[in-house]
Amino acid sequence: MDTAEAEWMKEFDTILKELITNPTNVTQLEQWLAKSPEELSQALAPLIDKVKAYTAKAEMVDLLKIWYQYVNLSK
């Protein structure tokens, strides 16, 4: 992950915590996606795909998939 991606991803931790308490409010998540760096690494692709799917329907199962992808980024 480059510096721009790392800075952008710092916001995701806070947004994920908010989604856990209010899973249907995807406004922050949509705003975060809109601020993504132009070039994203392949490592982020699975997470971004899950986030985009979640914003479309806001279901808890998808939120768990996002959390799983996010946790696996550090491995």
Side-chain angles (χ1 to χ4, degrees), residues 23 54 57-64:
Y54 182 76
K57 51 188 173 167
E59 293 182 1
M60 286 302 287
V61 170
D62 291 325
L63 184 56
L64 290 172

Side-chain angles (χ1 to χ4, degrees), residues 21-35:
T21 59
N22 191 0
T24 59
N25 185 3
V26 296
T27 304
Q28 280 186 315
L29 194 58
E30 290 170 335
Q31 291 170 349
W32 175 77
L33 276 173
K35 295 187 288 184

Side-chain angles (χ1 to χ4, degrees), residues 27-56:
T27 304
Q28 280 186 315
L29 194 58
E30 290 170 335
Q31 291 170 349
W32 175 77
L33 276 173
K35 295 187 288 184
S36 71
E38 286 185 33
E39 298 283 327
L40 292 175
S41 65
Q42 289 295 339
L44 290 177
L47 174 65
I48 301 308
D49 290 344
K50 299 280 189 254
V51 168
K52 287 178 180 177
Y54 182 76
T55 59

Side-chain angles (χ1 to χ4, degrees), residues 3-20:
T3 306
E5 289 175 327
E7 286 297 315
W8 179 63
M9 287 301 298
K10 284 181 183 178
E11 291 181 56
F12 188 74
D13 190 48
T14 303
I15 293 168
L16 186 57
K17 289 175 185 171
E18 288 289 323
L19 282 173
I20 291 169

